[in-house]
Amino acid sequence: MNSASNKPLSLIIKAFVILFSISIVNFANAADFMSVTEASKLSKSGVVYLVDIRHPDEWKQTGVPESAAPISMHVGGFLQKLAKLTGGKKDAKIALICAHGNRSTYISDELEKRGFTGIINVGEGMLGSKQGPGWLAAKLPVKKAP
């Protein structure tokens, strides 16, 4: 067999390896995300802690998810307040929500660097993102800001 006849097979193998690698990365990251509907249901039932990390001014504009703990990343004592909520358990299931999923992505990464193992990103956020329409558009319940 000459090298010309092996070329199509080689390209197929390379394409398979690339697609397989991408699917593993996507599968691994998929577990880190949760829809707003799931977050609402699981936080109401106590399976996860839902934490709204937005600025208090944002809470006043839209309200806070009904079953969420408002712990702003913009106010001092964020880690201490989170530890108080979870009883200091770094393996607690904590779902983070912000406006569009950007800050919750950042904080998710930072918490994982600090040893938290149960962090979940509610990437739709309150106002929607490429992951979905968001908490408000889904007409999920909110409570008045503290």
Side-chain angles (χ1 to χ4, degrees), residues 32-109:
D32 296 335
F33 288 91
M34 179 181 287
S35 73
V36 292
T37 306
E38 291 173 301
S40 178
K41 178 181 163 190
L42 295 177
S43 61
K44 283 179 186 173
S45 65
V47 174
V48 301
Y49 295 100
L50 179 60
V51 178
D52 188 334
I53 64 170
R54 297 176 299 148
H55 192 277
D57 289 342
E58 292 175 277
W59 299 337
K60 290 175 186 167
Q61 291 173 2
T62 64
V64 176
E66 186 178 63
S67 53
I71 303 176
S72 175
M73 66 179 273
H74 303 282
V75 177
F78 177 78
L79 288 174
Q80 293 82 0
K81 292 172 187 173
L82 198 59
K84 184 177 179 181
L85 176 70
T86 64
K89 298 177 187 170
K90 287 194 168 187
D91 63 344
K93 298 291 183 197
I94 304 168
L96 303 174
I97 190 167
C98 64
H100 299 284
N102 297 319
R103 289 171 287 180
S104 58
T105 298
Y106 172 77
I107 294 297
S108 294
D109 292 343

Side-chain angles (χ1 to χ4, degrees), residues 3 12 14 17 19-20 22 30 42-43 45-46 53 70 74 83 86 91-92 99 114 117 122 124 129:
S3 63
I12 290 171
K14 284 180 185 178
V17 169
L19 290 173
F20 182 74
I22 291 170
L42 295 177
S43 61
S45 65
I53 64 170
H74 303 282
T86 64
D91 63 344
R114 288 167 174 75
T117 59
V122 185
E124 290 180 56
S129 71

Side-chain angles (χ1 to χ4, degrees), residues 115-138:
F116 287 82
T117 59
I119 303 300
I120 304 161
N121 184 358
V122 185
E124 290 180 56
M126 290 295 288
L127 305 176
S129 71
K130 65 182 179 183
Q131 297 213 0
W135 194 277
L136 297 176

